[in-house]
Amino acid sequence: MKPSKTKKAENSKTNDLAKNTENGQGEFLTTNQGLRINDDQNSLKAGERGATLLEDFQLREKITHFDHERIPERIVHARGSGAHGYFELSKSMTKYTKAKFLQTPGKRTPVFVRFSTVAGSRGSSDMARDVRGFAVKFYTEEGNYDLVGNNVPVFFIQDAIKFPDLIHAVKPEPDSEMPQAASAHDTFWDFISLTPESMHTIMWAMSDRAIPRSLRMIEGFGVHTFRFVNEKNESVFVKFHWKPVLGIHSVTWDEAQKISGKDSDFHRRDLWEAIETGNFPEWNFGVQIVEEKDEFKFDFDLLDPTKLIPEEIVPVQIIGKMTLNRNPDNFFAETEQIAFHPGHVVSGIDFSNDPLLQGRLFSYTDTQLSRLGSPNFHEIPINRPIAPVHNNQRDGHMRQTINTGQSGYNPNTIVNNSPVQAKAMEGGFVSYNERIDSNKVRARSKSFFDHFSQATLFYNSQSDVEKNHIVDAFRFELGKLESTAIRERVVSMLTKVDKMLAANVAEGLGIPVPKAEQFLNQNIPADGDPKKYQPINVKSELKSSRALSMTTTVKDTVKTRKIAILAADGVDEDSLNTMKHALEAAGASTKLIAPNLGNIATAKGKQIKVDQSFLIASSVLFDAVYVPGGKRSIEILKEEPDAIHFINEAYKHCKAIAADGKGTDLLYLTAAGIKILNENKGEETHVAYGILLNRSSKEFIKAIAHHRFWDREKTGKVPA
Ligand code: HDE
């Protein structure tokens, strides 16, 4: 789709200062010094066929700039997509926090959001199995607040000092630089097999949460426990949640791998197109509040980032909604140059002592220095706060601000001590005065040693289908390893999560289930007693949690879903249009797919424009398939192997499939039809399987909203 420009949203931050007029429309071409250029097509030469002259400042400026166009990509989360929007508060948080943007219902705050994968390079596929980053910059009147979270509520490690090891293990192996954007290799699983604290997050990463259908359909979590602080300087603990209005949906692993080949920009394109077509992605914003007095009432430690607070124990209160309504004008200037930092807070939001969070507070400014190249990265338009900035910091690479006057220090009399410090009541940030009184130690609290109870809780909360997908993900990932010893260590660790899970994974790998005792915890200081460092077993009271399964998510809308309509010359116009219009009226989009581009002629001779040929289209890029009637159209499609494959593949991926009139004949040549003939179970069963023959558009819409018909996976696999 050719990018068109959305109308500028009123509530979005505008960075007009540095914005060039639309590609210099109607302006003269100039050098960077403003000199008008007469010939930008030829370099300056000694004669038409002679050597190029060193004097050609115009050529040198252009090439030098080009040579320096790339900057270092992010060491993690390099692959990302972003958008502008706003956050609107619906419930006042005055009781808990003095943060101004959380006071008055109806208040809108501009935001920029960047979604990302963690492991891959900037050019890698969107569909890698990976945790997704979910970073939100709120441009508040009191300064920028960054909520730099993920789509998984927990993390692999408990202490920041282990982060470089984790990332070195998951990134491509250093000798061969393989594999790209994939955790299915020896170094990652070697590290995991020796790091039992990773087990809870590993369960999420092996679930379908790690292969989302759309970035618009992922949850977001602040992960760490933070603090809210109110005007009276009272504090509560808080966990942050983003809940997608369209529900949480994923693709299958087979699909994800195929999408990576067919359209490695799948998520980026989906986000861009949704915003361009006015289908603005939305998330409800929620908080879990824990009073300070309740800090120790849980069977896990609130400071441990490998733990979540089950919603059954502390419900999520929805306090507002975020809407993304404007695509970036320039990917590099905005999405690439945006610099997030968990330490960008406003008064009323503060940190807990989570040792992972504490390390992050150092890391993010530091990384911007090497990535963006200067301590002045806050002056890049996308990073500028809307709140005024005044301080005595000066100079540095690429300084934009021209500070005037004599003073660059404090205290001073020259400008009456300006800029002056703000009292707390004037918005001056005062750290929460938590009492800390202890010995200086390099240690981890014993309360962090339960590594399995929430991994088990997560697994127990999944439906059978979700569990099967987790088993398959482990079989795939571990199956790719060269080392059998690493496989065995991981499976031995899985026995601590769930014995059946371990047995099923082991069966797929063709190994016996190793004993749990075999696993090694090597996160032990040189002088540490290994026995003291082994995980402890905690039996959590909660057996399962609804919020952890995707089966309980929103399933009543087809908004923005993509439906493929397969047709050829001779298609029945009514059969095509009735369904197409009903789907579009319900908010879905349709694409007409035919053997060739151009037009097809309907049975009545009307010309209809084809959107994609079978060469370009692929079922993995769609949510559902419809085959309208029309004798000739179906005769042509029957001879088109790609049409048969299209339906087989959609069937394999459990998508809704509908056919009308003669269209049903085509279905009988595919896995979908064969299944119906073989089972001979009657119409209602077909509908329950998401196969709709001559059914109403209403029923098809309901089936698409259901997302997938996983029961098909249980009853025998199909080729595709
Ligand atoms: Fe990050 N992380 N991280 N991280 N992280 C970065 O900062 C780091 C962690 C997250 O779209 C880097 O600007 C350390 C948890 C997101 O620009 C870097 C530790 C969570 C993004 C960094 C963590 C995150 C980053 C790389 C362990 C979820 C992308 C580029 C102590 C709560 C933000 C950059 C964007 C990016 C360090 C762990 C989320 C190197 C040291 C836990 C979404 O500073």
Side-chain angles (χ1 to χ4, degrees):
M1 172 167 154
K2 174 93 183 72
S4 70
K5 283 285 116 233
T6 32
K7 212 168 73 171
K8 295 286 165 283
E10 276 167 27
N11 293 292
S12 289
K13 177 183 148 81
T14 45
N15 295 305
D16 289 330
L17 246 177
K19 206 180 279 175
N20 208 327
T21 48
E22 293 273 327
N23 296 324
Q25 228 173 27
E27 304 285 346
F28 284 116
L29 183 70
T30 70
T31 66
N32 285 336
Q33 302 304 319
L35 175 69
R36 288 183 185 174
I37 293 176
N38 172 264
D39 179 353
D40 191 41
Q41 319 304 322
N42 299 292
S43 48
L44 189 67
K45 300 178 200 80
E48 278 172 8
R49 301 179 60 250
T52 302
L53 300 178
L54 191 61
E55 180 196 314
D56 192 350
F57 61 88
Q58 199 185 309
L59 168 74
R60 277 190 289 129
E61 183 199 78
K62 188 171 173 183
I63 298 284
T64 305
H65 193 278
F66 169 77
D67 289 346
H68 296 262
E69 273 174 11
R70 290 286 94 82
I71 60 169
E73 64 176 32
R74 288 165 173 82
I75 165 72
V76 282
H77 296 264
R79 170 82 190 167
S81 306
H84 293 270
Y86 63 88
F87 168 72
E88 183 168 328
L89 189 74
S90 57
K91 182 175 177 190
S92 172
M93 287 284 104
T94 309
K95 183 174 166 200
Y96 302 117
T97 174
K98 57 187 168 191
K100 285 234 168 73
F101 78 110
L102 298 177
Q103 302 301 308
T104 320
K107 168 125 188 133
R108 284 187 174 191
T109 304
V111 297
F112 188 90
V113 179
R114 184 173 178 274
F115 303 103
S116 47
T117 52
V118 180
S121 301
R122 192 178 146 187
S124 60
S125 168
D126 281 340
M127 288 307 291
R129 173 178 292 285
D130 203 348
V131 170
R132 297 298 182 287
F134 192 130
V136 183
K137 193 180 279 294
F138 296 81
Y139 300 93
T140 91
E141 64 197 86
E142 297 179 293
N144 289 350
Y145 169 53
D146 293 355
L147 181 50
V148 197
N150 280 343
N151 78 326
V152 163
V154 284
F155 203 65
F156 297 95
I157 47 168
Q158 295 173 319
D159 192 308
I161 203 163
K162 299 196 60 63
F163 192 64
D165 301 296
L166 167 73
I167 299 306
H168 289 169
V170 73
K171 283 274 183 183
E173 298 188 8
D175 49 356
S176 63
E177 180 77 0
M178 291 192 288
Q180 181 53 247
S183 50
H185 59 115
D186 287 55
T187 55
F188 178 67
W189 288 101
D190 187 27
F191 176 83
I192 294 299
S193 71
L194 303 171
T195 310
E197 72 205 54
S198 66
M199 251 321 105
H200 186 194
T201 304
I202 282 292
M203 296 305 294
W204 285 79
M206 292 303 112
S207 81
D208 291 348
R209 300 263 186 166
I211 40 173
R213 158 64 183 84
S214 160
L215 295 170
R216 301 173 292 119
M217 299 171 197
I218 60 173
E219 280 185 292
F221 302 91
V223 176
H224 315 280
T225 301
F226 290 88
R227 280 179 180 277
F228 270 160
V229 184
N230 68 14
E231 285 289 356
K232 291 187 227 151
N233 223 15
E234 296 159 340
S235 173
V236 291
F237 294 107
V238 58
K239 290 243 187 211
F240 295 112
H241 296 251
W242 296 106
K243 295 199 178 268
V245 168
L246 293 176
I248 316 154
H249 298 286
S250 292
V251 299
T252 68
W253 179 230
D254 181 59
E255 228 179 323
Q257 293 173 86
K258 289 173 176 164
I259 293 172
S260 285
K262 298 276 182 187
D263 183 6
S264 60
D265 301 311
F266 186 71
H267 283 153
R268 180 177 288 177
R269 191 182 312 283
D270 168 274
L271 180 68
W272 179 277
E273 288 183 353
I275 294 174
E276 286 300 296
T277 51
N279 290 300
F280 300 144
E282 293 172 324
W283 284 262
N284 287 316
F285 187 49
V287 290
Q288 282 176 303
I289 304 274
V290 176
E291 304 281 341
E292 225 177 5
K293 66 175 170 41
D294 293 334
E295 180 175 359
F296 299 107
K297 86 166 190 193
F298 305 98
D299 56 11
F300 54 86
D301 196 325
L302 277 185
L303 302 186
D304 175 358
T306 67
K307 302 296 181 302
L308 51 85
I309 310 179
E311 293 188 25
E312 285 76 8
I313 299 179
V314 179
V316 174
Q317 309 176 37
I318 299 300
I319 64 164
K321 189 190 264 182
M322 177 169 75
T323 306
L324 299 183
N325 60 1
R326 181 160 70 91
N327 278 318
D329 288 302
N330 183 290
F331 182 91
F332 180 83
E334 300 175 274
T335 312
E336 194 58 15
Q337 292 201 114
I338 193 159
F340 291 97
H341 177 20
H344 292 162
V345 287
V346 290
S347 290
I349 300 180
D350 212 324
F351 317 113
S352 71
N353 293 328
D354 172 344
L356 194 69
L357 172 60
Q358 293 284 321
R360 293 180 74 201
L361 295 176
F362 161 74
S363 174
Y364 287 67
T365 311
D366 185 44
T367 208
Q368 309 311 347
L369 295 180
S370 74
R371 192 170 74 81
L372 298 168
S374 154
N376 290 317
F377 64 84
H378 61 283
E379 297 190 327
I380 295 171
I382 193 69
N383 294 324
R384 282 184 201 154
I386 55 171
V389 174
H390 302 288
N391 58 41
N392 292 316
Q393 293 172 32
R394 292 290 185 273
D395 309 346
H397 276 294
M398 300 294 168
R399 182 68 169 178
Q400 308 285 305
T401 308
I402 302 175
N403 297 102
T404 53
Q406 283 172 283
S407 170
Y409 58 92
N410 191 287
N412 70 60
T413 55
I414 300 241
V415 278
N416 207 11
N417 226 11
S418 289
V420 295
Q421 300 168 123
K423 294 184 178 136
M425 56 176 295
E426 292 166 330
F429 182 83
V430 182
S431 290
Y432 180 64
N433 64 345
E434 180 181 356
R435 186 180 162 79
I436 297 175
D437 179 9
S438 52
N439 297 331
K440 191 193 284 181
V441 288
R442 253 183 214 285
R444 209 172 294 189
S445 166
K446 194 82 191 160
S447 57
F448 277 45
F449 278 36
D450 158 29
H451 302 320
F452 300 112
S453 70
Q454 288 208 349
T456 307
L457 174 70
F458 178 79
Y459 190 65
N460 287 345
S461 306
Q462 306 300 299
S463 64
D464 285 350
V465 171
E466 288 169 311
K467 283 182 178 166
N468 289 342
H469 290 182
I470 291 172
V471 169
D472 279 349
F474 274 110
R475 287 177 171 186
F476 177 92
E477 295 267 318
L478 301 178
K480 287 266 193 168
L481 307 185
E482 302 284 334
S483 158
T484 317
I486 298 174
R487 278 185 196 150
E488 285 172 352
R489 282 208 302 273
V490 178
V491 178
S492 80
M493 222 184 270
L494 288 181
T495 60
K496 301 288 274 180
V497 178
D498 185 272
K499 294 226 157 39
M500 272 310 287
L501 166 67
N504 282 332
V505 173
E507 188 191 336
L509 296 173
I511 56 171
V513 181
K515 287 209 176 69
E517 290 75 65
Q518 285 184 12
F519 81 74
L520 313 160
N521 184 2
Q522 302 223 337
N523 294 302
I524 302 168
D527 288 326
D529 172 358
K531 278 198 211 105
K532 284 199 184 146
Y533 282 85
Q534 291 312 314
I536 53 169
N537 293 321
V538 171
K539 259 219 146 6
S540 86
E541 300 219 327
L542 198 65
K543 292 280 167 279
S544 69
S545 169
R546 264 176 68 81
L548 304 183
S549 166
M550 288 193 285
T551 53
T552 57
T553 194
V554 177
K555 285 184 184 163
D556 60 358
T557 174
V558 296
K559 260 186 97 180
T560 73
R561 293 310 186 117
K562 292 198 170 68
I563 322 302
I565 301 179
L566 312 189
D569 281 336
V571 66
D572 177 335
E573 202 176 313
D574 291 342
S575 171
L576 188 153
N577 281 336
T578 312
M579 186 62 90
K580 177 179 156 75
H581 294 148
L583 290 168
E584 289 173 357
S589 72
T590 63
K591 290 267 182 268
L592 181 61
I593 298 162
N596 293 312
L597 285 177
N599 289 336
I600 54 172
T602 67
K604 290 182 191 157
K606 193 176 164 206
Q607 298 286 315
I608 306 183
K609 191 174 160 290
V610 174
D611 295 308
Q612 292 178 2
S613 68
F614 283 107
L615 200 61
I616 296 161
S618 168
S619 86
V620 293
L621 306 176
F622 291 90
D623 294 288
V625 190
Y626 174 58
V627 188
K631 190 158 170 281
R632 222 175 121 232
S633 167
I634 297 306
E635 270 163 17
I636 296 170
L637 292 182
K638 277 181 180 174
E639 299 298 316
E640 181 67 63
D642 286 343
I644 309 282
H645 176 70
F646 201 108
I647 299 171
N648 276 340
E649 200 171 45
Y651 183 82
K652 175 175 174 159
H653 298 141
C654 305
K655 295 173 183 173
I657 300 170
D660 183 51
K662 280 279 167 201
T664 56
D665 288 1
L666 186 68
L667 239 57
Y668 282 115
L669 295 183
T670 69
I674 292 164
K675 176 124 195 110
I676 294 171
L677 288 177
N678 283 351
E679 297 211 346
N680 200 18
K681 278 194 182 149
E683 291 243 317
E684 292 316 311
T685 322
H686 313 157
V687 176
Y689 273 163
I691 304 166
L692 292 92
L693 306 178
N694 293 317
R695 309 295 289 218
S696 68
S697 56
K698 214 167 145 199
E699 282 174 292
F700 189 36
I701 287 167
K702 196 171 155 208
I704 301 166
H706 186 71
H707 187 58
R708 298 295 166 97
F709 292 84
W710 299 121
D711 275 358
R712 284 187 211 155
E713 284 187 338
K714 283 192 206 151
T715 50
K717 307 237 150 112
V718 297

